[in-house]
Amino acid sequence: MTIRDVPATPVAIMEHRGDPATLGATIQRFIAWRKAANLPPKTNPTFTVWRSERRPASPAEYRIDLCDGTDQPIVAGDQQVRAGEIPGGRCAVLRVVGNTDNLEPAALYLYRQWLPASGEEARDFPIYGQRLSFYPEVPQHEAVADVFLPLK
Amino acid sequence: MTAALHNYHARMQRVLDYIERHLDGDLDLDTVSGVAAFSKFHFHRQFSATFGVSVHSYIQLIRMKRASHQLAYTDAQSVTDIAMDAGYDAPDAFARAFRQRFGQSPSGFRKSPDWELWHAALGPLDKARSKLMQTTFYP
């Protein structure tokens, strides 16, 4: 667990709204878009912004943003993504190595143990993650992700 | 317990107290998170992490608990009135939610409440409250 001051990062955002069961299809579209736009994970950072709970009361309320860090302008007429930003500021950062499929335990640790005891105050931007290496390009136990809890 | 943790729990307690006192009001995320100055971008997760139940379920359970008391212990109110009190516009939506929670229809519960099912259904409420209680006792 570290506290990091992160710079603002411009991103292209593909929003997933609705049933988590269809997230896989959105991820496929996101990967295809990154290939076509020539903004792959090797050169451009990959973020996931969790706007709702992992399992909201109604699946229709599930909201997640898939983000590709780039300062290139988004091509006009591109219906799939929009330009946005991961705002800069202080964050509690928890590194997860292995089994990065499910980052919920890391998020739960930050909210259940760390935040209440820290005296810190969460900032007005959702908890998000950055994927630093990907399965199956690396073995599952070597996949790395950071979970960011924005702080005031 | 550290001062930070104590303060955090006191704020969460303030939220529970507010919910309890405003069951007839609008308990949306903006309002409830604002009670103790939590960011609405995180509050739903902070609540679940602290209490083991979502704020949405918690509010529904508390409203259902009150409705079940009104059904079992008073005859003054009709089932329709009780449904409105619990925040439902239509009695059948209330009946569906009630049955889902307690395994009985509201009118069935009024006639002969199955307290065992009722008690089990309200388990998450007791558990949620005990999370803060634990920290206020010193063995």
Side-chain angles (χ1 to χ4, degrees):
Chain A
M1 246 295 314
T2 53
I3 304 275
R4 229 190 279 169
D5 215 334
V6 303
T9 310
V11 290
I13 301 171
M14 183 177 288
E15 296 177 346
H16 175 89
R17 300 290 182 263
D19 200 329
T22 62
L23 178 60
T26 309
I27 292 173
Q28 284 180 315
R29 279 202 298 134
F30 183 61
I31 292 170
W33 179 87
R34 296 185 82 170
K35 265 194 195 137
N38 197 24
L39 301 167
K42 276 208 164 43
T43 50
N44 297 71
T46 307
F47 300 98
T48 311
V49 181
W50 297 291
R51 294 193 171 270
S52 70
E53 285 166 283
R54 184 173 163 85
R55 294 286 175 265
S58 137
E61 286 166 23
Y62 184 64
R63 298 170 66 211
I64 189 167
D65 291 350
L66 307 175
C67 304
D68 186 326
T70 173
D71 44 17
Q72 281 183 30
I74 305 303
V75 180
D78 194 326
Q79 304 288 307
Q80 303 207 68
V81 299
R82 64 179 176 81
E85 184 187 76
I86 308 279
R90 293 173 69 242
C91 289
V93 186
L94 185 59
R95 175 146 298 186
V96 178
V97 180
N99 191 22
T100 52
D101 281 355
N102 183 4
L103 296 172
E104 190 64 20
L108 197 59
Y109 166 78
L110 287 169
Y111 282 119
R112 181 172 286 162
Q113 272 97 29
W114 185 80
L115 183 62
S118 68
E120 295 278 356
E121 202 61 44
R123 169 159 57 88
D124 276 354
F125 189 76
I127 189 165
Y128 64 97
Q130 180 176 9
R131 299 193 176 272
L132 300 167
S133 62
F134 291 84
Y135 175 80
E137 283 157 34
V138 299
Q140 184 120 39
H141 66 275
E142 284 175 22
V144 178
D146 282 339
V147 176
F148 293 77
L149 176 61
L151 303 174
K152 279 186 183 159
Chain B
M1 185 168 45
T2 65
L5 192 57
H6 190 271
N7 178 42
Y8 191 89
H9 283 170
R11 287 166 73 194
M12 280 294 177
Q13 185 62 54
R14 233 155 64 220
V15 171
L16 297 193
D17 294 347
Y18 182 91
I19 291 172
E20 195 79 46
R21 284 199 310 272
H22 295 83
L23 288 181
D24 296 324
D26 201 0
L27 291 171
D28 59 19
L29 186 64
D30 281 20
T31 310
V32 178
S33 60
V35 167
F38 286 113
S39 163
K40 68 173 176 183
F41 287 78
H42 303 273
F43 178 71
H44 52 300
R45 284 175 171 276
Q46 289 172 272
F47 191 96
S48 307
T50 302
F51 296 116
V53 56
S54 75
V55 61
H56 178 271
S57 297
Y58 183 86
I59 291 169
Q60 200 199 31
L61 272 176
I62 292 250
R63 284 178 167 154
M64 283 297 180
K65 182 179 181 178
R66 183 176 67 168
S68 59
H69 274 258
Q70 290 166 334
L71 286 168
Y73 297 134
T74 66
D75 327 317
Q77 280 179 291
S78 68
V79 174
T80 304
D81 288 342
I82 293 169
M84 301 288 268
D85 268 5
Y88 290 85
D89 296 334
D92 51 333
F94 169 69
R96 250 198 322 279
F98 192 92
R99 186 187 282 281
Q100 214 170 40
R101 291 281 184 199
F102 300 121
Q104 279 183 294
S105 70
S107 49
F109 184 86
R110 175 162 259 183
K111 280 194 211 93
S112 59
D114 183 333
W115 292 115
E116 212 164 313
L117 278 179
W118 177 85
H119 200 261
L122 294 176
L125 270 190
D126 296 337
K127 250 193 235 156
R129 287 185 169 141
S130 69
K131 304 276 185 203
L132 295 187
M133 294 295 283
Q134 277 169 5
T135 65
T136 56
F137 291 124
Y138 299 93

